[in-house]
Amino acid sequence: DGGITQSPKYLFRKEGQNVTLSCEQNLNHDAMYWYRQDPGQGLRLIYYSQIVNDFQKGDIAEGYSVSREKKESFPLTVTSAQKNPTAFYLCASSARGGPTDTQYFGPGTRLTVL
Amino acid sequence: AQKITQTQPGMFVQEKEAVTLDCTYDTSDQSYGLFWYKQPSSGEMIFLIYQGSYDEQNATEGRYSLNFQKARKSANLVISASQLGDSAMYFCAMSLMNTGFQKLVFGTGTRLLVSP
């Protein structure tokens, strides 16, 4: 079945550590996205990528980094520079990143900083 | 700046009844798209329905319809014949079409509870 997978489902991090969240899609989509969701709020865009080896900062990119070495994969690293990383992280993809494309989401990763 | 406003933090409806979830948006662009997503307690965002700013007819997808009033800048979601499985968070989002690349702006969501 085609879809988007994210791992792990739950992640615990000590302060000062970097952690990497995985996102894989087998939909043959060109565009991929990372969002952050805080309690009681909507989603905010962290990074997006329209093609392999290219990505752009979203609205809240500080303290995060990404790579896009393969079409299927778009991992997100939460660095120690991110001051308040505890949140729910959602990965999405769309066919081409065009304005009318539908974004499809993965099941999310819940990150907690201890 | 583009903004989505969902003023209803929570809504209650009885099974089999219809419910309307409100969404207003603010943009100076003429070309844009509006999306509704459902987020159950599991966390995954599920696409429900899409309306383009130039679409003359309101979008419909099964039990979901979008009441699009362009002059009022509103894009309300109507769910007919509510089911217990409709209990979830619902998010309205807007995409901009003049950037050549989709950027979605989300509202804060409305929690819908369907009772038996």
Side-chain angles (χ1 to χ4, degrees), chain A residues 13 50 55 60 69-70 74 78 84-85 89 91 109 111:
Chain A
R13 188 194 96 171
Q50 196 168 10
F55 47 83
I60 55 165
E69 298 176 359
K70 298 187 300 182
F74 192 41
V78 184
N84 185 21
Y89 291 86
C91 178
T109 292
L111 172 64

Side-chain angles (χ1 to χ4, degrees), chain A residues 10-68:
Chain A
Y10 298 96
L11 186 57
F12 298 90
R13 188 194 96 171
K14 293 182 180 179
E15 286 192 17
Q17 284 183 338
N18 293 353
V19 291
T20 297
L21 283 59
S22 169
C23 177
E24 303 276 334
Q25 55 96 1
N26 61 3
L27 300 168
N28 200 31
H29 284 173
D30 288 329
M32 298 187 74
Y33 311 78
W34 273 105
Y35 292 91
R36 169 181 172 140
Q37 185 178 27
D38 293 287
Q41 297 190 28
L43 279 63
R44 291 183 291 167
L45 182 64
I46 305 173
Y47 267 98
Y48 60 92
S49 168
Q50 196 168 10
I51 56 172
V52 174
N53 292 323
D54 184 60
F55 47 83
Q56 304 296 327
K57 292 182 179 180
D59 298 321
I60 55 165
E62 185 175 352
Y64 300 98
S65 66
V66 293
S67 63
R68 187 87 187 275

Side-chain angles (χ1 to χ4, degrees), chain B residues 8 42 113:
Chain B
Q8 305 156 313
S42 59
L113 183 61

